Amino acid sequence: MPVYALNPGYKGERMDRVENFHGNQLVYVGWDEHRMFCAAKAFPLPPSMPFAAVIENIMPEAFGQHPEFSQINWETAEWLLDGEPFKPQLEASLEAQGVGHKSMVRFKTPELQGYQNAGV
Amino acid sequence: MAAKKLNIKDKYRLLTRDLDWDFSYEDRKQAFPYEEFEGIKITDWNKWEDPFRLTMDSYWKYQAEKEKKLYAIFDAFSQNNGHLNVVDSRYVNALKLFLTGVSPLEYQAYQGFAHVGRQFGGVGARVACQMQSLDELRHVQTQIHAMSHYNKFFDGFQEFSHMHDRVWYLSVPRSFFCDARSAGPFEFMVAIGFSFEYVLTNLLFVPFMSGAAHNGDMATVTFGFSAQSDEARHMTLGLEVIKFLLEQHEDNVPIVQKWIDKWFWRGTRLLTIVAMMMDYMLPNKVMSWKEAWEVYFEEAGGALFKDLARYGIRMPKYAETIEKEKEHISHQAWWTFYTHGHAAGFHTWIPSDKELDWLSAQYPDTFDKYYRPLWELAKEQEAKGERFYTSGLPQLCQTCQIPMLFTEMDNPNQNSMRDSVFEDERYHFCSDGCKDIFDEEPEKYVQSWLPVHQIFQGNCGGPGVEDVLSDYYKMNVGVDNMDIKGSPDEKRWNEWKGIA
Amino acid sequence: MSKVYIALQDNDESRYIVEAIEESNPDSTVIHQPAMIRIEREGRLVIERAVVEEKMGRDWDVQELHINLITLGGNVDEDDDQFVLEWKQ
């Protein structure tokens, strides 16, 4: 049942339709097992943004405060897009490689275990 | 000879049941239009019992007595500068969170119970709900009165009602009650009357208020226990509702179970904030969140569910996850507020070494392994003059609206993330519990007003986060927020206490 | 059998009520916490008006309990002479 309502056919207003974001789409980015950041972060990004720009501009904004950030090897990072293994194409746009509105992009850095190797 | 006094049972019958009437020329269904759409079947409202058999005349008498006692203490508290007796200025931040996050819920509870107190077809239930609605209104009033004294001396109290409607972390308690109030009357009663009042408010009002006493806060412990004296009646009403629904028709059992599953999950998520208040915001500790949880949820709730087993009701779904999470959530929540201390309407801090050791002792299986390293990192950053305030805005759960800060219980280093796609749009959740709730009624939760998304849509002013905080949230930026160290609150406190 | 419990504000009136509870329920456990008193007992606990009146030395209405009550656990049954908390399983 999509909803239990007094009147049949009730439809709720979609609060976060992509049209509400002024040409951007929401993308979430998360660095696995690095709890210095309490949660993944949200960014409104143009769908045409190439993935290289996410790595160059968005990642430092999101995670640059971490003492291990400068040691990240983006070549060996392992990625998940909406829960599925994913190999980013740096020159292609978000849209072209399936990073859609409210997609979740996660990466793991196998050689970095966090501050004090404690997943922080 | 004096007239014979009515006994309680006769008085209850005369002053509740006998006030009702039958519908002879109007359609009863039109008078009670909310009674059927949830699928609950009521065959006989007369089976309803109020075990306290409280009637309006006694209600006024005892409530008036409670109020007289309470206000005498408020007067004494303020005439004697009671705020100077709290343990230190950090403690007051728990009250700011209480006033912005909890007191407005009392008002929402008042509205909710007034609504169901009109909509139930049975007069016994209506009278009990109307009394509860008046109680809730009393609670919000007494809390505002108690806090008004602190408002004269500390920052962060001044816009509590405005903040409740807008501030990012306050959308969590606010949306919890909006969810319950926009449900049907029976779900509201299972949500608030039973799940919330019976088990969960004990955790808020009993150990936390006992904690207030232990931290020298006479005003708070007094309003807390005065409110809680009504709560015992609310708990009994909540239990009565459940038993009544389960006895009325066997078809009600799966519906009630579904609501119990939903609202215990929603409630435990909401109480994350209380967990954090107990473990981190009370400088003198009474008991850990974990211990409170064991006494009031596992022991008291366990007894309750054993009692309900005869109706075919089982423990709430995900109770095993909840049991594991008691070792983690307070630490995760305080870290979230500490790292977002620039965007909170109260002050945050690194726990003292003594407090860190207390946490290690209370949480031997988790604290040193997972959470102490966070605070060591924070201390290192602070020592370098780079007190850590996290950049950007967090991802929020579509259902509970809490930042996605909870971790997997089989790998506590990894944040727990779930999602669902509904009509081509993706929605994210902090847990299986929150995902289940969405999947059951997606049409409801697509409407979540998620503060982070609203900021990006441009609906909260801006353009910068600081503009949102000052103009849209009405925070006094640089005064209400940031670390306690160097805050005006701390400076004033040190002057009053003659601390250099 | 599970425990029923009741908690009262720690004040002069409650002290008499607690004494009465201890007398009416010999194997109950009384726990003192900051500002409150918690009493637990396996299965059932009763507060008898007559016993409370004897301790207080005045008339006492069972419903006066509401003034000092903080919380309870168990099914409630109340009439003019007593207040009962009970688990029925």
Side-chain angles (χ1 to χ4, degrees), chain A residues 27-44:
Chain A
V27 178
Y28 307 105
V29 290
W31 186 359
D32 279 5
E33 305 202 24
H34 280 73
R35 293 176 293 114
M36 179 182 185
F37 308 104
C38 68
K41 298 188 181 191
F43 291 93

Side-chain angles (χ1 to χ4, degrees), chain B residues 387-407:
Chain B
R387 198 294 194 182
F388 178 46
Y389 293 109
T390 194
S391 62
L393 301 179
Q395 183 186 30
L396 307 179
C397 171
Q398 186 77 23
T399 303
C400 69
Q401 308 199 4
I402 299 176
M404 302 257 290
L405 60 93
F406 301 99
T407 59

Side-chain angles (χ1 to χ4, degrees), chain A residues 2-14:
Chain A
V3 73
Y4 294 84
L6 201 50
N7 300 311
Y10 177 89
K11 290 289 267 184
E13 184 188 348
R14 275 92 183 121

Side-chain angles (χ1 to χ4, degrees), chain A residues 11-60:
Chain A
K11 290 289 267 184
E13 184 188 348
R14 275 92 183 121
M15 297 300 276
D16 295 320
R17 291 177 308 136
V18 68
E19 299 84 70
N20 297 354
F21 290 86
H22 314 288
N24 289 320
Q25 62 176 30
L26 274 185
V27 178
Y28 307 105
V29 290
W31 186 359
D32 279 5
E33 305 202 24
H34 280 73
R35 293 176 293 114
M36 179 182 185
F37 308 104
C38 68
K41 298 188 181 191
F43 291 93
L45 304 176
S48 60
M49 181 184 253
F51 208 91
V54 172
I55 293 187
E56 278 160 39
N57 304 324
I58 302 303
M59 292 304 183

